[in-house]
Amino acid sequence: MRKNTILPLAYGLGAVITPSAILQAQQNADKPNIVLILLDDVGYSDFGCYGSEIETPNIDRLAENGIRLRHFYNQARSAPTRASLLTGLYPHQVGNGALGKVPGYDAYQGYPNEENAFIPEVLKSAGYFSVMTGKWHLGYYQGVTPIKRGFDRSLNAPVGGFYFSTDVRPKRAQSNTLFLNDEKMDFDDPRLPENWYSTHLWTQFGLQFIDEAIEKGQPFFWYLAHNGAHFPLQAPEKTIDKYKGKYMKGWEEVRNARFQKQLESGLFENPGQLTPRNPKSPEWDSLTQEEKERYDLQMAIYAAVMDEIDQSIGKVVDHLKEKGVLENTLIILLSDNGGNGEPGMEGRFEGKIPGSAKSTVFLGASWADVANTPFFLYKHHGHEGGCNTPFIVSYPKGIDKNLNGSIRKDCYGHVIDIMPTLVELTAAVYPSARDGHAVPPMEGISLLPLFKGEPVKAIPTIVEHEGNKMLRDGDWKIVQENREPEWMLYNLKTDPTEMKNLAGKEPEMLKSMIDKYRKMADRTGVEGEIQFKTGKWYTPVEEYFK
C-alpha cells in the first residue's frame, strides 16, 4: 500500500558543510522567508475578513496578524495576472496581453517572452531557495517552465483544471497533467499520496520542498498557486454537505449580509456603497424550488472549495510555526481576478454528482455578484468587480504590531508592486538583462511602507484585458469596458464602488486621465485595434443604475 508521504528527494542534503557555507547560512539567517499565495477566480468578499459567511478562520487569522488593503489590483484574468505578478511588468510587455495567442501581435503571443526576469531568478542574487507548487498557466508547453525560470523545486499543473486524483477524463488529458521538477507524472504515480485533492497536494509538496531550505539554513521563496476556486468546482462531499442549505435564502440576502459585515468591519462606510446586482439575474423568489436547490448546491460547492483552501493555509502556518520560522516569514495572499461570471447568470451544473471528479460546475454570474460584493462586474473587466480583489500581508517580525488587523483605505497596490517589494526586502539585485535579452525596469513600487503604517506613493496603474480598460492614478479612475462608447470617471476616495460617473462633471480630469492611459498603453504594448468578443454575462454599466 502506498504511503501518504512524498518521495524522499535526494538533492544533495548530505553535502559537506564548509566554513564558507556556515558563513553564508549566518548571512541568510536574517533574510525573511516569503510565501506568496495566489488564488484563482476568488472574489472580493469570499474571505470571512472581507465579509463572507464561508468559514475561513486561518485566512482571517492572517488578517488579524497583518494588514488588509481595500483596493488591490490584478490584470482581470489568470495568465496575464500571473505574468505580471512574477515579473513586475505589465502583461503586454511580457507577451501575455491576452489569455491565449492573438496572431500577429507580439504583446499577445500568449506566454512570457525572454525579455523579463521572474521573481525566483531575481532572488537567486540574494541566496534564496525557490519553490513553486500549483497552477502554472504561463506557457509550460511553449517551454516556459518553473524550473527553467529559476525555481529549484516544483510540482505544477501546466494550466490547472482539476482537483481530484480520480479526474482522468480522456478529453482533458493535456490539461489534467502534473509535472514534478519538469518530469511528467501520472495521477496515480507512486510518488504521490493516494486519493489526493489538489489543494492539499500543492501544500504537502511545498512544505517538504521548503523543509530542504530550512535544513540548509537558506531563506526560501514559495509561490503557492492554488487552482481553487476555478471551475470545474469540485470538493470533498463532507465539506460540501457542511454548506448545503445555507444558500437557500438566495443571492440577494447573502450579498446584503456580506455587505453588512463589510460595514461593521470598517471596510466600507455607508449603506449607499452597495452596487446593484446584475439586472439580468433573476429574483430569487421567482425561482422554482428545484431551481433554488440547484443554485444552493452550486454555491455550497464553491464555499467548500474555499473552505478546503483555508484548511490548507492553516497547515502552512502551523508548519512554519512548528519549524520556528513563522516570525520571519512574509505571507502574501491575493487572487488573480474577480469572481467568475462565466458563462452567464446560470453558470454550469453538469454531472450525476455535482462537485465530484466527474462533474463540471461553474459559479455563474448570479453568485459571482455575491463573490464580488460590494462591486459590480466580474473577471475580465476593468471595473472593481473584475480587477480589485483581496490583499492580505502578514509578517510578524516585519510589521508593526500596532498595525495588526488594520485596513488601509488611503492607498492601493497592484501585482506589479510585488517584485519591487521583494527586491527591496531581500536586497536582491534586479537585472537589466537576462540571457542576452534586455529587461525593462520594474513598473511597480515597493509596498514596504505599509509595514510601518507610512504612506505609499500612488503611481498611475493600468489594466487592459480583451478591450476592457482602466487606469487608476491616486483617487481617480477611468474605465471603458469593451464595446462601450465612452470612458467613465470615478473618484474612489468618495466613491469606492464606482456608483457615480463624473465624466460629464469633470471634463478636464477625464481628458487628463485618458491622455495618461494612452501614453501608458502605447509604452507597454497595448493594442487598441484588436476586436474581442463580449461574454454573455456582461451587462452594460448604465443598465445597473437605471
Side-chain angles (χ1 to χ4, degrees):
M1 181 177 178
R2 198 189 326 161
K3 296 181 180 179
N4 284 329
T5 55
I6 305 171
L7 70 164
L9 297 171
Y11 290 115
L13 293 180
V16 176
I17 300 177
T18 64
S20 61
I22 295 174
L23 178 60
Q24 182 66 49
Q26 291 172 341
Q27 292 173 340
N28 287 338
D30 291 332
K31 290 186 182 291
N33 304 302
I34 302 158
V35 180
L36 175 60
I37 306 174
L38 181 68
L39 307 187
D40 199 329
D41 285 6
V42 171
Y44 187 83
S45 71
D46 284 331
F47 303 157
C49 57
Y50 274 83
S52 182
E53 72 294 330
I54 300 170
E55 295 181 20
T56 59
N58 298 295
I59 291 173
D60 298 346
R61 201 168 297 120
L62 287 178
E64 291 166 6
N65 294 298
I67 300 169
R68 280 166 283 173
L69 289 185
R70 179 162 75 177
H71 295 276
F72 188 87
Y73 296 100
N74 49 62
Q75 292 294 341
R77 197 79 180 275
S78 178
T81 291
R82 289 157 205 271
S84 202
L85 175 70
L86 287 177
T87 64
L89 303 172
Y90 284 107
H92 308 79
Q93 295 171 289
V94 177
N96 268 101
L99 189 70
K101 182 177 182 178
V102 180
Y105 296 94
D106 291 342
Y108 297 79
Q109 69 179 21
Y111 60 93
N113 55 37
E114 297 295 323
E115 297 166 9
N116 54 77
F118 278 28
I119 288 174
E121 295 176 309
V122 175
L123 293 185
K124 281 188 184 299
S125 66
Y128 275 75
F129 184 93
S130 293
V131 169
M132 185 271 160
T133 57
K135 176 180 174 179
W136 184 239
H137 209 190
L138 284 172
Y140 196 97
Y141 294 112
Q142 287 77 35
V144 185
T145 74
I147 299 301
K148 291 179 181 177
R149 279 311 200 112
F151 288 99
D152 298 287
R153 305 286 181 269
S154 174
L155 178 73
N156 82 90
V159 293
F162 58 85
Y163 288 88
F164 287 105
S165 61
T166 52
D167 188 356
V168 290
R169 288 170 278 183
K171 66 179 181 179
R172 303 174 64 193
Q174 186 180 47
S175 62
N176 289 16
T177 308
L178 286 169
F179 285 88
L180 174 64
N181 302 325
D182 284 2
E183 175 194 347
K184 187 175 180 179
M185 303 180 79
D186 293 327
F187 277 16
D188 60 352
D189 190 292
R191 293 170 292 180
L192 297 169
E194 289 182 324
N195 301 318
W196 50 260
Y197 180 70
S198 63
T199 297
H200 303 298
L201 183 70
W202 311 137
T203 301
Q204 185 179 352
F205 265 68
L207 290 175
Q208 179 148 332
F209 290 156
I210 66 169
D211 280 352
E212 289 188 62
I214 294 171
E215 290 175 21
K216 295 177 180 179
Q218 192 173 357
F220 61 80
F221 167 66
W222 178 10
Y223 172 46
L224 172 54
H226 282 292
N227 52 302
H230 195 282
F231 62 81
L233 297 167
Q234 300 171 355
E237 185 177 4
K238 183 178 180 181
T239 313
I240 295 172
D241 288 344
K242 178 178 171 182
Y243 291 96
K244 282 172 66 174
K246 290 189 176 182
Y247 296 100
M248 288 298 290
K249 61 188 72 173
W251 31 68
E252 297 103 325
E253 191 170 331
V254 177
R255 191 168 190 256
N256 290 338
R258 287 194 179 191
F259 184 60
Q260 186 59 39
K261 280 186 68 176
Q262 291 174 336
L263 290 173
E264 292 168 358
S265 71
L267 198 58
F268 293 90
E269 295 80 26
N270 68 70
Q273 291 171 329
L274 178 62
T275 62
R277 64 184 176 83
N278 195 317
K280 290 182 181 178
S281 183
E283 296 284 346
W284 185 260
D285 289 341
S286 72
L287 302 175
T288 66
Q289 182 65 18
E290 182 179 355
E291 287 171 331
K292 289 179 179 178
E293 290 175 358
R294 170 244 167 118
Y295 284 121
D296 168 73
L297 180 53
Q298 205 164 324
M299 186 61 191
I301 294 167
Y302 182 81
V305 172
M306 290 298 306
D307 192 307
E308 294 291 333
I309 290 171
D310 183 76
Q311 292 178 44
S312 82
I313 290 173
K315 292 176 183 177
V316 171
V317 173
D318 289 346
H319 189 87
L320 295 172
K321 187 181 298 183
E322 179 184 325
K323 292 292 184 177
V325 298
L326 179 63
E327 286 290 309
N328 196 34
T329 299
L330 168 65
I331 301 176
I332 301 172
L333 176 62
L334 67 160
S335 178
D336 65 355
N337 47 246
N340 184 18
E342 300 167 354
M345 295 300 118
E346 71 289 345
R348 287 178 66 182
F349 197 70
E350 301 169 359
K352 293 182 178 180
I353 306 176
S356 70
K358 294 184 179 180
S359 70
T360 298
V361 176
F362 287 52
L363 184 63
S366 293
W367 281 124
D369 272 340
V370 175
N372 293 336
T373 306
F375 305 125
F376 64 92
L377 287 182
Y378 321 100
K379 169 184 177 178
H380 300 262
H381 294 287
H383 277 86
E384 298 289 286
C387 58
N388 181 15
T389 41
F391 180 84
I392 299 172
V393 58
S394 176
Y395 181 18
K397 183 178 177 180
I399 292 178
D400 184 334
K401 288 183 169 44
N402 292 322
L403 300 175
N404 284 347
S406 63
I407 301 170
R408 289 291 298 270
K409 297 186 280 188
D410 62 334
C411 61
Y412 58 91
H414 186 279
V415 290
I416 57 172
D417 299 330
I418 300 300
M419 174 73 87
T421 300
L422 300 187
V423 166
E424 181 179 357
L425 181 68
T426 64
V429 178
Y430 182 82
S432 58
R434 173 188 172 276
D435 291 345
H437 298 275
V439 173
M442 294 177 284
E443 289 284 343
I445 59 170
S446 171
L447 298 177
L448 288 189
L450 281 176
F451 299 0
K452 299 177 182 178
E454 298 173 352
V456 176
K457 178 184 177 183
I459 62 170
T461 300
I462 69 169
V463 173
E464 186 278 334
H465 182 64
E466 297 181 335
N468 304 309
K469 308 181 285 290
M470 82 84 158
L471 176 137
R472 178 162 182 181
D473 186 12
D475 294 331
W476 292 94
K477 179 182 174 185
I478 55 170
V479 188
Q480 186 181 41
E481 300 293 359
N482 185 28
R483 300 185 188 277
E484 296 221 337
E486 304 294 338
W487 285 91
M488 288 155 272
L489 173 70
Y490 305 100
N491 185 311
L492 295 187
K493 183 176 183 179
T494 58
D495 179 27
T497 57
E498 303 170 312
M499 301 277 277
K500 301 171 185 175
N501 178 12
L502 301 177
K505 294 182 178 180
E506 299 280 356
E508 292 303 314
M509 178 58 70
L510 177 65
K511 181 180 182 301
S512 173
M513 293 286 285
I514 293 173
D515 288 345
K516 288 179 184 177
Y517 175 85
R518 287 174 176 164
K519 288 177 182 177
M520 289 191 70
D522 288 344
R523 181 176 61 78
T524 57
V526 174
E527 296 285 353
E529 64 187 38
I530 303 173
Q531 295 296 311
F532 293 96
K533 294 180 180 179
T534 299
K536 67 176 184 176
W537 63 83
Y538 177 66
T539 299
V541 173
E542 63 179 13
E543 293 190 19
Y544 279 83
F545 301 101
K546 280 184 178 179

